[in-house]
Amino acid sequence: MASTSDIRKGLCIRYNHDIFKIIEFLHVKPGKGPAFVRTKLKSVTTGKVIDNTFSSGHKIEDVRVETRSYQFLYAEGTTYHFMNTDDYNQITLEESSLDTPGLLKEGEVVTILFNTEDSLPLSIDMPASVILEVTYTEPGVKGNTATNATKPAKVETGAEVNVPLFINEGDKIKVDTEKGSYMERVKE
């Protein structure tokens, strides 16, 4: 058993007869009344995200997890195939267990969390950022804006990312996997 002081991003807990992963949390100490922790929980079985507030000192049941590195091989419909980088065993997972499947390219190494009790995969942690090539975007027109304007661009995985006007087809860009947003252009 853990308490609310142990809450951190990525912690898996058992709550309402399901296993949830904490994706956001905020410790709040109001001027009047007891402290509490506001959390955003994502179900690892259904992918549904809920908001919940735990009072300070509340006991939570944490789930022991183990992390393993897997390489993404290919997608077949909504089924994604991964290979363990240590023993080369392959597993398949559904698209709903991925946060941003559109940013996952073949050969990318991800971290998969497994429940130590029954060795079932709980969730997939993508790298913080990925480098993808722009396959299609409209040409940007110089001088038509006074602020940071963006345009949609299609990347090699098929996802669409808003990029600055100076990005052209064939450019490699770094994309934040958590928000799915453009970070910077990558020079080769």
Side-chain angles (χ1 to χ4, degrees):
M1 287 298 243
S3 72
T4 53
S5 61
D6 299 317
I7 287 179
R8 66 186 183 284
K9 188 176 176 184
L11 178 73
C12 291
I13 63 170
R14 197 175 306 278
Y15 177 72
N16 279 358
H17 310 293
D18 197 2
I19 297 175
F20 288 89
K21 182 179 176 183
I22 296 173
I23 53 176
E24 265 180 44
F25 73 97
L26 178 67
H27 287 279
V28 179
K29 175 70 175 104
K32 185 177 178 182
F36 57 90
V37 181
R38 211 177 271 137
T39 60
K40 194 171 274 193
L41 308 170
K42 180 178 181 181
S43 171
V44 295
T45 53
T46 63
K48 191 170 100 173
V49 177
I50 62 168
D51 292 318
N52 189 48
T53 302
F54 294 104
S55 57
S56 185
H58 183 86
K59 296 289 182 205
I60 52 175
E61 187 180 349
D62 58 334
V63 176
R64 292 184 55 95
V65 294
E66 180 179 290
T67 59
R68 298 180 199 152
S69 292
Y70 276 78
Q71 183 179 23
F72 173 58
L73 298 177
Y74 61 94
E76 193 174 44
T78 60
T79 305
Y80 285 67
H81 297 263
F82 295 90
M83 178 183 70
N84 190 324
T85 56
D86 295 330
D87 60 12
Y88 307 110
N89 285 337
Q90 292 186 20
I91 63 168
T92 57
L93 296 170
E94 286 303 310
E95 186 176 47
S96 61
S97 60
L98 282 135
D99 292 332
T100 51
L103 299 176
L104 190 62
K105 70 177 183 178
E106 293 179 3
E108 195 72 48
V109 176
V110 298
T111 304
I112 301 181
L113 289 155
F114 286 88
N115 187 345
T116 55
E117 294 170 9
D118 52 14
S119 294
L120 288 175
L122 295 176
S123 72
I124 300 170
D125 288 339
M126 298 269 294
S129 62
V130 290
I131 296 170
L132 300 170
E133 186 176 336
V134 176
T135 55
Y136 175 77
T137 187
E138 296 289 331
V141 180
K142 275 189 176 178
N144 68 349
T145 181
T147 60
N148 292 338
T150 60
K151 61 183 179 179
K154 199 171 214 93
V155 292
E156 61 185 292
T157 59
E160 201 167 275
V161 179
N162 284 332
V163 297
L165 296 177
F166 59 82
I167 299 292
N168 299 312
E169 287 182 23
D171 286 352
K172 291 197 182 294
I173 60 172
K174 188 185 257 189
V175 180
D176 180 355
T177 56
E178 192 173 323
K179 298 180 185 123
S181 60
Y182 167 86
M183 291 172 75
E184 63 185 0
R185 179 167 51 180
V186 178
K187 300 276 189 198
E188 289 155 348

